[in-house]
Amino acid sequence: LIQPKRRPGIYVIHIAAEMAPVAKVGGLGDVLTGLSRSLQRKGHLVEAILPKYDCMDYSRIVNLKELDLELHSTFDGQIHKNKVWCGIVEGLPVYFIEPLHPAKFFWRGQFYSEPDDFRRFTYFCRAAMEFILQSGKRPDIIHSHDWQTAVVAPLYWDIYVPLGLDSARLAFTCHNFEYQGAENSGAIAACGLSARDLMRPDRMQDNSFHNKINLLKGGIVFSNVVTTVSPTYAQEVLRPEGGKGLHGTLGVHSKKFFGVLNGIDEEVWDPSTDVLLDYQYSAEDIDGKFINKQKLRERLGLASQGDDEKRPLVGCVTRLVPQKGVHLIRHSIYRTLEKGGQFILLGSSPVPQIQHEFEDIARQFEKHPQIRLVLKYDEALSHSIYAASDIFVIPSIFEPCGLTQMISMRYGTIPVVRRTGGLADSVFDVDDERNPEEKKNGFVFDDPNEGSLNWGLDRALDYYTQRPEWWQDLVKKAMLMDFTWDASADQYVELYKQVLSKTKV
Ligand code: ADP
């Protein structure tokens, strides 16, 4: 008998709004690249489709070329032209869609926070699906991410399967249930879907505002497998406090809903090869960490000589949004100062009120020898902070996965975190006897208040000063922990295989 010829790996196309390092706002960008590279290493074929933003880092795209094809896609009942570009990002083939629509959807100088985001991303998804159809691609899995590309799932079943694009099963990952893409129901018609068909409680009607259509809900309802980014967060969002209105929907679809812990890209985040550091170092030779600390102190004007040399340095790299516990971040600056430590914050906020509040604090400490706030997005500085710090604070109110605790550990910086979501799945308190010895790697506190944070932060600062040898061992241990994508990518492959085996021969 002749066996049908099969490709050895799975063919996955990601459709997403972010991809590190070219278009990154937060963890989603890191995940897209880290997961894809790991899948690629395991022998799968992975491609990505992104909007062609004007504000991307074009220097990180290799061989960017316009494809010789005219992509026509529908929006507001009219046909629009798009250019499609192709390039290589971190070894991965990526297609960039450039709409020639008069609204200039991706020529805004920023990735998100435009008043017409719903229209920008539903336009993009329709064009991305059109591209897959017209280019004759036959992916096994189309994997979309967050509300911006959740509409891919209903578009697939309602429009593209009838047009013959039926090779794929759909995977959807929600990186944060806070952002859902809910809009007046009529808005969905622009990308060609029917509000009348979809405005039902079991489809895309928003669970709280019944006149709204909810894109994230559409991703959950219409995808074959739905994941979120840590096992603990997957449990939290099934409860009313965590699900932001979608816990009921997730409950109905719980059989296809899984929590897979994110990893970090082991090549991007490697202190032994990181060219952005002043000095590379590894768990076998951690002296270089101190050199980075001294250099960064000098660069930012923090005290670094005499008794100051011994001060513990606390770092924090974050988007300044309520989710991250901004009041606790602020408190940790003052607490560190009180306890004789130094603090560096790198963060920026899309919320003007929060940005202004931190600008005031930054001004207050402008020339201070122990505190520095840098209020912008700065990839290179973030690497220096991970390497230079001794302690890293992450007091999140909720945290779907969180990457900064994993990155800091890889750089030998010990995290102080609140027990929530992915932080609870990756940081295990050194003083909690319930944790096996080999897992203990940081400081964990429970409640989102200052007293609870002090319990975590004070111990970290005290142990750093009082138990230097113990601390060195902890640093080495944290650096050697496995937070790579390897195991998590295997879990994605398993889930892909499950949905493919259910529906295909
Ligand atoms: P989220 O996705 O909620 O922002 P994560 O912890 O999952 O949180 O991912 C944050 C990522 O963004 C990390 O790679 C972190 O280093 C990076 N990051 C956050 N803020 C900044 C900043 N101001 N400058 C540089 N990198 C930042």
Side-chain angles (χ1 to χ4, degrees):
L1 276 174
I2 299 169
Q3 295 290 327
K5 214 172 167 189
R6 291 181 71 102
R7 226 190 346 257
I10 301 171
Y11 177 13
V12 184
I13 299 184
H14 289 283
I15 304 181
E18 292 183 38
M19 181 168 187
V22 295
K24 169 174 158 181
V25 175
L28 164 62
D30 290 316
V31 171
L32 206 84
T33 308
L35 171 61
S36 301
R37 292 219 309 180
S38 185
L39 291 172
Q40 193 186 50
R41 276 196 293 272
K42 290 173 189 290
H44 305 286
L45 173 58
V46 188
E47 298 174 342
I49 307 179
L50 260 76
K52 187 168 179 287
Y53 300 100
D54 56 350
C55 51
M56 283 194 299
D57 183 353
Y58 284 86
S59 71
R60 306 294 290 268
I61 310 175
V62 177
N63 263 343
L64 183 65
K65 283 197 285 273
E66 190 186 335
L67 294 188
D68 185 17
L69 79 112
E70 270 210 345
L71 179 69
H72 294 102
S73 64
T74 308
F75 205 65
D76 292 325
Q78 290 176 342
I79 305 286
H80 295 276
K81 280 193 199 161
N82 304 271
K83 288 185 185 177
V84 183
W85 300 71
C86 179
I88 304 292
V89 176
E90 303 283 308
L92 295 157
V94 184
Y95 297 96
F96 298 96
I97 302 221
E98 180 186 358
L100 302 180
H101 186 285
K104 297 193 180 317
F105 285 130
F106 301 107
W107 288 84
R108 307 291 181 83
Q110 60 178 359
F111 299 108
Y112 305 137
S113 305
E114 291 287 300
D116 57 349
D117 275 358
F118 187 100
R119 281 173 61 76
R120 296 169 72 218
F121 289 103
T122 48
Y123 180 99
F124 163 65
C125 290
R126 178 76 202 242
M129 293 304 286
E130 198 62 41
F131 171 62
I132 297 177
L133 176 76
Q134 288 183 24
S135 58
K137 290 179 178 293
R138 306 282 294 165
D140 298 310
I141 297 286
I142 298 177
H143 195 152
S144 52
H145 299 263
D146 279 352
W147 76 261
Q148 288 88 353
T149 61
V151 79
V152 158
L155 281 172
Y156 180 75
W157 299 114
D158 285 2
I159 298 177
Y160 287 92
V161 168
L163 288 173
L165 175 62
D166 55 1
S167 65
R169 298 296 125 187
L170 298 180
F172 176 62
T173 298
C174 180
H175 300 250
N176 193 333
F177 282 88
E178 175 127 300
Y179 309 101
Q180 301 189 358
E183 192 54 82
N184 291 334
S185 63
I188 198 70
C191 69
L193 290 170
S194 154
R196 218 185 41 211
D197 289 351
L198 295 172
M199 278 297 279
R200 289 177 20 175
D202 60 338
R203 293 188 180 167
M204 290 174 70
Q205 183 180 43
D206 190 84
N207 294 341
S208 312
F209 301 96
H210 293 165
N211 60 339
K212 297 214 167 199
I213 192 126
N214 184 313
L215 295 180
L216 195 66
K217 183 171 168 182
I220 298 166
V221 171
F222 291 104
S223 297
N224 299 97
V225 59
V226 179
T227 68
T228 190
V229 290
S230 70
T232 296
Y233 189 56
Q235 293 301 314
E236 289 169 357
V237 294
L238 285 166
R239 294 193 288 269
E241 322 81 76
K244 315 274 170 187
L246 285 174
H247 55 284
T249 307
L250 289 166
V252 171
H253 293 277
S254 63
K255 283 212 175 65
K256 65 175 184 188
F257 178 53
F258 303 90
V260 181
L261 192 67
N262 285 337
I264 51 172
D265 192 309
E266 67 248 55
E267 284 174 30
V268 175
W269 301 110
D270 182 352
S272 71
T273 56
D274 193 333
V275 292
L276 297 170
L277 303 190
D278 288 298
Y279 199 90
Q280 282 99 33
Y281 61 99
S282 66
E284 288 73 46
D285 174 18
I286 56 171
D287 292 349
K289 188 166 170 59
F290 182 69
I291 301 176
N292 285 292
K293 182 174 175 178
Q294 290 299 75
K295 292 273 185 200
L296 185 63
R297 281 167 153 171
E298 284 162 24
R299 265 211 309 283
L300 295 181
L302 293 181
S304 64
Q305 301 303 317
D307 282 349
D308 288 314
E309 195 183 283
K310 295 202 192 69
R311 290 180 194 271
L313 176 60
V314 182
C316 180
V317 177
T318 187
R319 291 183 299 124
L320 290 165
V321 290
Q323 168 200 338
K324 302 289 179 185
V326 275
H327 65 293
L328 294 176
I329 293 173
R330 189 184 53 213
H331 173 75
S332 59
I333 299 172
Y334 293 99
R335 185 69 182 181
T336 301
L337 187 59
E338 232 171 81
K339 297 271 304 173
Q342 295 185 321
F343 199 105
I344 300 175
L345 170 74
L346 171 63
S348 64
S349 185
V351 185
Q353 196 191 338
I354 299 178
Q355 181 75 16
H356 293 151
E357 183 192 336
F358 277 82
E359 278 166 3
D360 283 346
I361 305 174
R363 261 194 298 278
Q364 179 191 342
F365 288 115
E366 208 167 354
K367 298 232 163 63
H368 197 283
Q370 319 300 355
I371 308 287
R372 194 64 70 245
L373 277 68
V374 182
L375 299 178
K376 61 175 178 180
Y377 183 91
D378 187 333
E379 187 77 25
L381 181 57
S382 78
H383 285 242
S384 301
I385 294 175
Y386 289 119
S389 306
D390 302 298
I391 297 165
F392 200 89
V393 280
I394 315 173
S396 302
I397 307 305
F398 73 94
E399 192 58 75
C401 177
L403 298 175
T404 59
Q405 78 280 17
M406 300 186 202
I407 301 171
S408 39
M409 282 190 268
R410 191 95 206 276
Y411 283 68
T413 302
I414 304 303
V416 176
V417 309
R418 196 172 94 74
R419 196 191 313 277
T420 179
L423 297 172
D425 293 327
S426 54
V427 183
F428 301 93
D429 197 289
V430 294
D431 287 329
D432 187 340
E433 290 317 319
R434 290 168 300 181
N435 296 328
E437 210 52 45
E438 69 276 10
K439 282 192 152 186
K440 293 179 180 176
N441 56 7
F443 298 86
V444 181
F445 61 94
D446 279 289
D447 300 317
N449 60 45
E450 297 177 359
S452 195
L453 167 67
N454 289 351
W455 153 249
L457 184 57
D458 289 3
R459 280 184 301 138
L461 290 163
D462 291 344
Y463 291 0
Y464 175 87
T465 318
Q466 292 159 10
R467 306 181 185 176
E469 279 171 24
W470 177 88
W471 189 272
Q472 296 267 305
D473 290 342
L474 181 63
V475 166
K476 287 182 196 163
K477 186 173 161 191
M479 288 183 79
L480 292 171
M481 290 198 160
D482 183 6
F483 293 113
T484 63
W485 265 104
D486 198 42
S488 303
D490 282 343
Q491 290 182 49
Y492 275 100
V493 170
E494 230 10 79
L495 294 173
Y496 293 157
K497 281 186 178 160
Q498 274 174 28
V499 290
L500 289 169
S501 69
K502 271 191 208 141
T503 45
K504 288 170 122 187
V505 272

